[in-house]
Amino acid sequence: GLIVKEAAAPYHTGRRSPAWRKLKIVHEQEFVIGGWTEPRQTRQYFGALLLGVHDDSGLQYVGHTGTGFDQRELARVWKLLDARSAAQSPFAARIRTNEPAHWVRPELVAQVKFTEWTADGKLRHPVYLGLRDDKRPADVVREEGARVPNRLPARKTVARKRTPGRATSRRPPEAEPVAGSVVAQLAAIEESRKDGVVLLPDGATLPVTNLSKLYWPEPKLTKGALLRYYAEVAPLILPVVADRPLVMKRFPNGVEAPAFYQQRSRQEKPPAGVRIEALPDEVDPISEPDARRFIGGSLVTLLYMAQIAAISQDPWFSRVQSPENADYVALDLDPGDDTPFARVLDVARWIRDELATLKVPAVPKTSGSSGLHIYIPLPPGTSYESGQLFCQIVATMIATRHPRVATVERSVRARPRGTVYVDYLQNILGKTLATAYSARASAFAGVSTPLRWTELDEQIDPRDFTIVTAPARFRTVGDLWGRLRTAKPANLDVVFRKYQARLSPPR
C-alpha cells in the first residue's frame, strides 16, 4: 500500500493525526453474474452474487460477493436477477456455496474490487461496485497484470531460538484479523456469523462481537451496519470529536430495548489505543474517585464505543486541554409531538436571519431524529456561562417574536401545542448533543447531517439521512461541518453591546 499525508496539515509530535492515511492497493475488474445465494436472517432479496470469468472451458466460478450493497441497490439488482432466472448452473464445473444457490442466465456484468487472487484462483475480499452495461459478458476474462501487485516481495525469515517455558506473543489463529479495508473486514466477520478481530490502518486491533445482532428493527439494520458506517465516515467525524470527553448512551439490545447512560469508563478493559483520561475533580460535573472518561479522536476509540453499543457520539463542547472553555455553543430546535418539521425549518431560518444581523457565523445540521441543531463557533478562552447567555438571548428573541411557533418554556406540559422548543440549556459544562456525522438511535437509523443554509429553504426531510444513505451524500458535498472549525468566531463582546443598545429604552 501507500502511506499518504494531507499536504497542508501540520506535523504533530508524539501523537496520531487523521491527516495521515494508509491506502491499500486493490484490484478491480468485471465479472459475469451466474447466480445468487439466499439471504440470511434479516437481509432481503439475496445474500451474495456468484461470479465468474470465461476461459476456453466455459464460465469459471471465481467466488461470491455480498458486500457493497445498500437496500436500494439490493432491490434493483434483484429485479434484474429474477428476470433472468435459469434452471441450470451456467458455470463449467459444479460449485459449492454456503447458502442454497439459484442460477441466472449469464447476461449481467458486475464491477468488483478485491484484494488479490487466492492460490486456487478465487477472489479475496470482493466488494460489489456496480453493474456494467458497456461490457459484453462473453468478453469477461481474468485480467492478468492489469493492476499493481498487492503483495510485497517475500521477506527472508530468521529462525529465533525460543526460551523454554516462555509463551509466544502470537495471536491464536482463530483470532487473526482478516485482510482488507476496515469496512470489508467488518462485513466479512458479520457474514461469517462469528466474532472476530479487525486490523486497523495504524496496526491496532479491535475484537468485535455479535455483528449480526439487530439494532434497528424497522429498517432491519444490525450492529455490524453501525460499525461499518463509523468506519466509512471516520475521516469526517474523528476531527469533530478529537480531544473531547465523551458521554455514552448504550443500547446493548437495540434501539427499542432499554438503554442506559454511562459517563465513565468503568470496569471495561478496552484494547490498546482507546484513550481514557481523568479530568480534574473541580472541573468534572460528576465527582467520583478515579473519574475516567473516554476521549475521542482515534478510530479504535470510535469503533470500540460502537462495539459496546454506544450508538451516538456525544462529545463535550470543550476539549481536555481547556475543559472549562467552550469551543462552540448550540441551539437545539426540538419539535413537540404534533409539530411538523416545516416549523423547525421556520425557526432555523429566523435564527439564521438574527445571527446575520449580528454578523455571527453558524452551521446547521439535522439532529438525526426530528429536530435541528445550530452551532456557533466561539473565540478561544470563552466560558460556558458566556456562551449560554448568548444563546439564551437569541432563543428568547426568537420566541418573543414568534410565540405561536417558538418557545423557551422548559416544561414539556407547559409548552404550547405544536411549537418548537429552542433549547439553549445544552450549553453547560458536561452537557452534550449528538455531534455532526453521528449515528442516532432514532427508529429510522438517522444520522446528524450537516446542511448548507440554502437547504433550509427547501423541503428537506431528516429521514432521508440514515447510516445507509448519508455516506453517499458526504462523498458528494464534502465536509460541510469543517466550516465550524475555520469560520471566524463570534465576538461576544460586540454582540452583547449590540443587544444592550437594541434593548435599552430610549432616553
Side-chain angles (χ1 to χ4, degrees):
L2 299 174
I3 300 297
V4 298
K5 175 185 172 295
E6 184 181 348
Y11 287 87
H12 296 284
T13 302
R15 71 181 185 91
R16 295 170 181 161
S17 167
W20 289 87
R21 293 285 184 271
K22 176 176 159 185
L23 302 181
K24 288 180 178 274
I25 297 175
V26 296
H27 299 253
E28 186 178 314
Q29 77 156 78
E30 308 85 15
F31 296 96
V32 177
I33 300 174
W36 53 275
T37 60
E38 293 184 4
R40 293 177 177 175
Q41 286 204 328
T42 59
R43 178 144 176 172
Q44 294 180 300
Y45 304 110
F46 60 89
L49 300 179
L50 305 176
L51 306 174
V53 294
H54 286 287
D55 66 10
D56 294 340
S57 303
L59 186 64
Q60 302 299 326
Y61 176 69
V62 296
H64 66 275
T65 180
T67 61
F69 301 92
D70 58 22
Q71 195 69 9
R72 181 179 299 177
E73 187 67 2
L74 281 170
R76 185 179 80 92
V77 174
W78 164 248
K79 290 181 181 179
L80 298 173
L81 295 173
D82 190 45
R84 292 164 173 79
S85 179
Q88 301 295 326
S89 168
F91 296 106
R94 185 176 181 180
I95 67 173
R96 298 177 61 184
T97 58
N98 295 330
E99 299 294 333
H102 300 267
W103 314 114
V104 298
R105 299 191 302 274
E107 300 171 351
L108 297 175
V109 176
Q111 189 78 9
V112 173
K113 68 177 181 179
F114 57 101
T115 56
E116 64 181 348
W117 290 96
T118 64
D120 61 348
K122 299 298 188 294
L123 301 174
R124 190 181 299 279
H125 307 121
V127 178
Y128 171 86
L129 298 178
L131 294 178
R132 294 282 299 270
D133 56 8
D134 60 338
K135 187 84 172 182
R136 295 175 59 243
D139 296 336
V140 175
V141 297
R142 174 168 169 169
E143 299 176 4
E144 300 288 354
R147 303 289 188 269
V148 178
N150 195 41
R151 289 183 175 176
L152 296 175
R155 295 179 180 178
K156 293 182 178 180
T157 58
V158 178
R160 296 175 182 264
K161 184 178 180 180
R162 292 182 58 186
T163 303
R166 178 179 293 179
T168 64
S169 60
R170 192 178 188 276
R171 189 182 295 108
E174 65 274 12
E176 289 285 356
V178 296
S181 72
V182 175
V183 175
Q185 291 178 66
L186 290 166
I189 293 171
E190 181 174 356
E191 188 175 0
S192 73
R193 301 192 59 76
K194 298 178 181 178
D195 298 341
V197 177
V198 178
L199 176 64
L200 303 182
D202 61 359
T205 57
L206 175 69
V208 293
T209 60
N210 300 321
L211 295 190
S212 61
K213 178 180 284 189
L214 191 64
Y215 268 18
W216 286 274
E218 186 175 326
K220 297 183 179 179
L221 293 171
T222 62
K223 177 182 179 180
L226 174 67
L227 270 82
R228 291 196 299 275
Y229 167 77
Y230 276 131
E232 189 166 358
V233 303
L236 295 173
I237 196 171
L238 289 181
V240 182
V241 299
D243 297 326
R244 301 188 187 279
L246 299 162
V247 175
M248 292 185 291
K249 187 176 184 181
R250 295 174 60 176
F251 294 80
N253 295 304
V255 300
E256 294 187 354
F260 63 93
Y261 279 98
Q262 182 175 331
Q263 297 273 351
R264 313 282 185 195
S265 166
R266 293 175 178 168
Q267 301 302 319
E268 293 94 348
K269 294 182 178 179
V274 174
R275 185 178 175 187
I276 298 175
E277 292 192 19
L279 298 179
D281 290 339
E282 63 272 16
V283 172
D284 204 316
I286 302 176
S287 177
E288 292 180 5
D290 189 26
R292 304 187 304 158
R293 292 182 180 271
F294 289 110
I295 309 297
S298 68
L299 180 59
V300 66
T301 302
L302 176 69
L303 296 183
Y304 175 71
M305 292 180 69
Q307 156 62 24
I308 61 175
I311 289 178
S312 64
Q313 288 284 299
D314 300 74
W316 280 24
F317 288 12
S318 55
R319 292 165 292 164
V320 290
Q321 296 91 334
S322 51
E324 296 180 276
N325 298 326
D327 297 311
Y328 44 74
V329 286
L331 289 164
D332 178 11
L333 310 187
D334 184 12
D337 291 338
D338 299 320
T339 306
F341 190 70
R343 291 191 180 179
V344 180
L345 293 174
D346 286 337
V347 176
R349 289 190 288 264
W350 295 330
I351 293 175
R352 173 189 63 187
D353 296 342
E354 176 71 9
L355 296 177
T357 65
L358 301 169
K359 296 183 179 180
V360 169
V363 184
K365 67 181 181 72
T366 67
S367 67
S369 183
S370 59
L372 283 174
H373 298 155
I374 298 174
Y375 277 57
I376 301 157
L378 298 176
T382 303
S383 67
Y384 273 88
E385 291 78 9
S386 296
Q388 183 186 5
L389 176 60
F390 166 57
C391 287
Q392 181 178 0
I393 296 173
V394 173
T396 304
M397 294 288 288
I398 298 301
T400 301
R401 292 176 190 156
H402 309 279
R404 294 184 178 181
V405 179
T407 181
V408 291
E409 175 56 57
R410 294 181 63 184
S411 172
V412 176
R413 293 183 179 180
R415 294 175 196 164
R417 192 176 186 85
T419 57
V420 177
Y421 175 44
V422 186
D423 186 1
Y424 58 85
L425 295 174
Q426 298 297 334
N427 302 289
I428 297 174
L429 178 65
K431 283 213 154 196
T432 60
L433 289 172
T435 194
Y437 306 114
S438 174
R440 297 301 308 276
S442 49
F444 59 93
V447 167
S448 186
T449 301
L451 302 170
R452 299 185 183 94
W453 278 114
T454 53
E455 291 181 281
L456 272 65
D457 296 320
E458 305 168 3
Q459 295 302 314
I460 63 172
D461 187 336
R463 293 171 295 183
D464 291 338
F465 310 122
T466 72
I467 64 172
V468 175
T469 62
R473 170 187 166 87
F474 301 152
R475 288 191 292 269
T476 300
V477 304
D479 183 14
L480 296 181
W481 201 246
R483 297 171 296 171
L484 190 69
R485 297 189 295 274
T486 59
K488 185 178 180 180
N491 188 327
L492 295 190
D493 290 335
V494 172
V495 168
F496 289 147
R497 286 199 297 269
K498 287 182 178 180
Y499 273 126
Q500 186 176 18
R502 188 189 302 181
L503 301 175
S504 297
R507 294 182 179 178

